[in-house]
Amino acid sequence: MATRLFEGKEHASYYQKFRFEPSQEILDLIFSYVDERLPKPHEFAVDVGCGTGKGTRMLAPYFKKVLGTDISVAQVEEAKKELGCPNVTYSICPAEGVPVADASVDLLTASAAVHWFDIEKFLKEVNRILKPGGCLAFSSYLFHMEVHYKDRSEQMNNIFSNVEDILSPFQHEKVNHVKTGYKEIFEAIPYTDKKRIESVITKIQIPLAGLLGLIQTFSSFQTYLRTEPEKAKEMIKTTEQRFLQIMGTSSIDTEVEVWLHNILVLASKPK
Ligand SMILES: C[S@@+](CC[C@H](N)C(=O)[O-])C[C@H]1O[C@@H](n2cnc3c(N)ncnc32)[C@H](O)[C@@H]1O
């Protein structure tokens, strides 16, 4: 049974606004791996669990065609609103059944998504659709991130840790895959050519409003909101006030630096 935590329209529009696309560091690691294994030009990439397509569109310059797939109608509707990549199309379907031909895909990506899938069925599907030598790249950033602001980073991180503690009981058990750095998923990949890279750190400058928006995209926050709406909204308000107080500003447009800790799993199907 698929885990359906990303169906709401409002959640999808928050996604489009506040989630980050995979960083250039992650893309560089993916492409140096792919380029060593497959001849150029690369033909076809599929981004599974594409959400609003932020990562999907980043693949567009590197492939003749790119397909983004997701089980959530609301997420794919948001993705389709973004124009400007004529070689990118989207499909609403489960990750465990992607509507493409056998042995047709050069690169299959899943960004902040693979942990939601039925891993056994999904890996069988990956094996069906990858070309010989085709690659997979599963990435995610950890829920735990660092928040830096001038000489106030310690206090900023304490506030963020407090948010983590509040949301922790609302986290789905599948998020444990992320917490353990995708170890179990890595071990389940039936290829010998594979590697797992931890601690790729991406530093992003965003306004405080963006950080508060990001927190609201977390599936654990959405579960909190459904279960205890008043408390969830209050937590965001209180968190905003605490951040502003520590930063000594009244503007939520003030920029903070967020450090994302990423995991990346790469593998290639035997030729
Ligand atoms: C955390 S979001 C990541 C979205 C996007 N890749 C990104 O990086 O912003 C996870 C996505 O996986 C999708 N998803 C979850 N289970 C799925 C499944 N079994 N098949 C296809 N998509 C699924 C959700 O609908 C959601 O859009």
Side-chain angles (χ1 to χ4, degrees):
M1 172 75 93
T3 313
R4 310 292 292 261
L5 294 176
F6 300 87
E7 306 301 313
K9 275 187 189 253
E10 202 181 343
H11 190 190
S13 76
Y14 262 79
Y15 241 84
Q16 178 53 13
K17 228 162 142 184
F18 297 116
R19 288 296 269 221
F20 310 119
E21 50 274 352
S23 65
Q24 195 56 49
E25 291 96 323
I26 294 284
L27 284 183
D28 290 347
L29 285 164
I30 294 176
F31 281 106
S32 69
Y33 188 82
V34 173
D35 290 348
E36 278 170 20
R37 285 158 181 83
L38 285 173
K40 280 186 178 171
H42 303 314
E43 297 278 331
F44 186 29
V46 178
D47 182 33
V48 184
C50 67
T52 61
K54 290 201 157 188
T56 322
R57 291 185 288 279
M58 291 194 79
L59 300 173
Y62 304 93
F63 291 88
K64 284 194 184 153
K65 55 180 187 155
V66 179
L67 172 69
T69 73
D70 202 286
I71 205 163
S72 159
V73 176
Q75 295 274 342
V76 172
E77 272 173 6
E78 280 294 328
K80 284 183 175 169
K81 285 184 194 163
E82 297 292 312
L83 305 172
C85 294
N87 60 337
V88 176
T89 53
Y90 296 97
S91 172
I92 298 162
C93 63
E96 301 80 4
V98 181
V100 303
D102 294 358
S104 61
V105 175
D106 296 84
L107 172 67
L108 182 144
T109 56
S111 158
V114 66
H115 49 281
W116 295 111
F117 308 158
D118 177 326
I119 302 300
E120 200 184 326
K121 286 190 189 151
F122 175 60
L123 289 177
K124 276 196 187 131
E125 185 64 346
V126 171
N127 193 50
R128 180 186 74 78
I129 67 179
L130 279 184
K131 286 178 182 172
C135 300
L136 62 79
F138 303 153
S139 61
S140 187
Y141 45 85
L142 303 180
F143 180 66
H144 175 72
M145 39 191 85
E146 292 174 46
V147 186
H148 293 269
Y149 182 74
K150 295 186 178 167
D151 60 353
R152 312 281 159 84
S153 298
E154 194 183 332
Q155 295 98 313
M156 298 291 279
N157 279 314
N158 286 341
I159 299 171
F160 194 79
S161 293
N162 189 240
V163 171
E164 287 179 336
D165 292 344
I166 294 170
L167 295 185
S168 166
F170 299 95
Q171 232 165 38
H172 195 281
E173 61 183 22
K174 289 195 171 189
V175 175
N176 285 335
H177 281 302
V178 186
K179 288 185 179 160
T180 56
Y182 280 171
K183 266 193 195 134
E184 223 178 290
I185 295 173
F186 177 75
E187 274 153 26
I189 296 170
Y191 307 146
T192 49
D193 180 359
K194 58 179 175 178
K195 61 177 168 182
R196 194 173 67 87
I197 305 165
E198 279 185 296
S199 297
V200 183
I201 295 180
T202 312
K203 299 179 182 177
I204 299 170
Q205 306 277 348
I206 48 168
L208 177 63
L211 177 61
L212 295 163
L214 177 70
I215 293 169
Q216 292 170 79
T217 69
F218 296 154
S219 56
S220 51
F221 177 80
Q222 292 294 320
T223 305
Y224 189 24
L225 191 63
R226 272 194 305 277
T227 327
E228 300 180 53
E230 293 316 318
K231 282 192 184 168
K233 286 178 205 157
E234 193 52 41
M235 183 201 73
I236 294 295
K237 249 196 240 159
T238 313
T239 304
E240 176 183 318
Q241 284 159 1
R242 291 181 68 198
F243 275 133
L244 288 172
Q245 195 183 18
I246 293 298
M247 292 161 74
T249 175
S250 58
S251 168
I252 55 168
D253 294 328
T254 310
E255 293 219 323
V256 297
E257 189 171 80
V258 176
W259 293 15
L260 303 177
H261 295 254
N262 302 281
I263 324 155
L264 174 64
V265 167
L266 295 164
S268 176
K269 180 174 165 176
K271 284 198 174 164

